[in-house]
């Protein structure tokens, strides 16, 4: 919109360039659409060592990395030229879960001043699961309800799950 035009008219409606009808009102474009993302993440580790004897100990570690992200997008049906009268909304939720457990059995024995035995036997287990749900809709009746369920037509939907795990054994 040229700088000679006001942002809104006397009635409060957005003003657009009458010469180039595809040109957006930049203030409307910055004000009306919403795009939010909320992230909750828990990252923690805990470990303990238990001395069975003077020479033998057991150590265990547990780790967790949990993440949930919720994203929402709404382009209202009125006020922007792109998708005028239709609107566009989207929602995506993704979860990422990672678990780790490591266990070590360690034997340490000083035989004399020059000889020592140091042996480790262990196991590590990791598991990951990622899932997401993504949905998009159009044909929103008005600007005031920016929730995806208010849209009339499902324009896209997708979901998926990915999982993996690994177990390792080791010694030294």
């Amino acid at each position: 919109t040229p700088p000679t035009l006001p942002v809104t008219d006397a009635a409060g409606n957005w003003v657009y360039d009458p010469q180039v009808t595809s040109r957006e009102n930049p203030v409307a474009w910055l004000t009306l659409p919403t795009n939010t993302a909320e992230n909750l993440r828990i990252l923690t580790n805990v470990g303990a060592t238990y001395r069975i004897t003077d020479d033998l100990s057991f150590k265990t570690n547990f780790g967790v990395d949990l993440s949930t992200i919720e994203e929402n997008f709404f382009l209202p049906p009125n006020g922007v030229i792109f998708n005028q009268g239709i609107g566009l909304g989207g929602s995506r939720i993704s979860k990422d879960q990672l678990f780790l457990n490591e266990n070590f059995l360690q034997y340490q024995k000083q035989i004399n001043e020059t000889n020592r035995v140091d042996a480790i036997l262990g196991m590590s287990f990791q598991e990951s699961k990622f899932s997401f749900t993504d949905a998009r809709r159009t044909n929103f009746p008005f600007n005031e309800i920016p929730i995806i369920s208010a849209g009339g037509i499902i324009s896209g939907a997708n979901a998926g799950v990915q999982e993996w795990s690994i177990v390792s054994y080791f010694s030294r």
Side-chain angles (χ1 to χ4, degrees), residues 51 54-57 106-110 116-119:
R51 191 159 291 285
D54 288 342
D55 303 328
L56 186 63
S57 63
Q106 184 171 19
Y107 179 76
Q108 292 179 316
K109 177 76 172 174
Q110 189 73 39
R116 172 186 170 129
V117 175
D118 190 352

Side-chain angles (χ1 to χ4, degrees), residues 58-156:
F58 175 75
K59 180 178 180 180
T60 186
N61 295 317
F62 293 98
V64 175
D65 185 356
L66 304 174
S67 176
T68 300
I69 301 172
E70 183 176 337
E71 300 168 283
N72 291 297
F73 174 77
F74 181 66
L75 180 61
N78 302 308
V80 292
I81 296 171
F82 179 80
N83 258 1
Q84 181 67 31
I86 297 173
L88 176 64
S91 181
R92 179 181 173 96
I93 297 174
S94 59
K95 290 183 186 178
D96 198 359
Q97 304 168 336
L98 178 65
F99 301 98
L100 169 69
N101 175 235
E102 297 177 317
N103 298 291
F104 305 90
L105 192 60
Q106 184 171 19
Y107 179 76
Q108 292 179 316
K109 177 76 172 174
Q110 189 73 39
I111 298 171
N112 55 39
E113 283 188 22
T114 57
N115 295 308
R116 172 186 170 129
V117 175
D118 190 352
I120 294 178
L121 183 62
M123 179 190 101
S124 176
F125 173 75
Q126 294 181 46
E127 180 179 35
S128 176
K129 182 178 181 180
F130 174 78
S131 61
F132 75 94
T133 303
D134 179 44
R136 291 170 303 286
R137 281 190 166 192
T138 60
N139 279 10
F140 286 81
F142 34 80
N143 293 14
E144 288 73 26
I145 303 179
I147 300 169
I148 192 169
S149 60
I153 298 174
I154 297 173
S155 59

Side-chain angles (χ1 to χ4, degrees), residues 2-63:
T4 56
L5 294 176
V7 175
T8 59
D9 62 18
N13 299 314
W14 299 104
V15 173
Y16 298 96
D17 187 348
Q19 303 301 317
V20 183
T21 57
S22 63
R23 188 178 292 163
E24 292 286 353
N25 180 320
V27 177
W29 188 253
L30 290 172
T31 306
L32 294 174
T34 58
N35 191 10
T36 61
E38 295 179 19
N39 185 12
L40 172 65
R41 186 165 191 188
I42 298 171
L43 181 61
T44 186
N45 289 292
V46 65
T49 301
Y50 176 70
R51 191 159 291 285
I52 301 168
T53 67
D54 288 342
D55 303 328
L56 186 63
S57 63
F58 175 75
K59 180 178 180 180
T60 186
N61 295 317
F62 293 98

